[in-house]
């Protein structure tokens, strides 16, 4: 059974940091490109960042560039998102997504709330 389980979300003050994790199982994690997407309150789904299968290539949405860092550990089948200098507009449910050819898997999400 394919599973993507996000963790690490929570309530943080503006300017704070969080590290999200996504534990993968049930598929060959190391061949999939991995992404983080998010959905803020009352908003549509927004792409945040993508990392290629071996971790050598990353890309970011302009809204998070310079503040967020995506990484992966293929030995642990885990994806990460280090989020620094958080802003209230980063408040959202964050989902990890695995993509390979026509196959896509997505987790259930973890809530991140940035508020004082």
């Amino acid at each position: 059974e394919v599973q993507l389980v996000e963790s690490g979300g929570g309530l943080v003050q503006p300017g704070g940091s969080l590290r999200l994790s996504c534990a993968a199982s049930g598929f060959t994690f190391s061949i999939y490109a991995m992404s983080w997407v998010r959905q803020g309150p009352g908003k549509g789904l927004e792409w945040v960042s993508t990392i290629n299968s071996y971790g050598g290539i990353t890309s970011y949405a302009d809204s998070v560039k310079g503040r967020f860092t995506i990484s992966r550990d293929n030995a642990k089948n885990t994806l990460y998102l280090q989020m620094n200098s958080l802003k209230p507009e980063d408040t959202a449910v964050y989902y990890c997504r695995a993509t390979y050819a026509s196959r896509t898997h997505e987790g259930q999400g973890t809530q991140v709330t940035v508020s004082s």
Side-chain angles (χ1 to χ4, degrees):
E1 178 189 4
V2 171
Q3 281 196 318
L4 289 169
V5 180
E6 300 93 339
S7 62
L11 173 65
V12 63
Q13 292 187 342
S17 298
L18 282 175
R19 189 195 196 202
L20 305 184
S21 298
C22 172
S25 61
F27 63 100
T28 308
F29 179 79
S30 61
I31 68 172
Y32 279 69
M34 296 297 298
S35 299
W36 289 97
V37 297
R38 67 186 182 185
Q39 187 164 24
K43 299 180 181 179
L45 209 58
E46 176 190 16
W47 170 76
V48 174
S49 182
T50 296
I51 188 168
N52 71 337
S53 59
Y54 60 88
I57 301 174
T58 59
S59 56
Y60 299 91
D62 287 344
S63 58
V64 307
K65 200 172 293 182
R67 300 187 297 122
F68 291 10
T69 303
I70 191 171
S71 61
R72 66 190 295 163
D73 186 337
N74 285 348
K76 295 182 178 179
N77 287 356
T78 304
L79 174 73
Y80 304 100
L81 185 68
Q82 177 66 44
M83 306 187 296
N84 299 329
S85 303
L86 282 161
K87 305 175 181 179
E89 50 263 44
D90 295 318
T91 295
V93 178
Y94 284 72
Y95 302 89
C96 64
R97 178 182 287 172
T99 306
Y100 176 74
S102 61
R103 284 169 273 179
T104 299
H105 310 299
E106 194 166 293
Q108 294 300 304
T110 185
Q111 175 71 48
V112 171
T113 302
V114 185
S115 175
S116 54

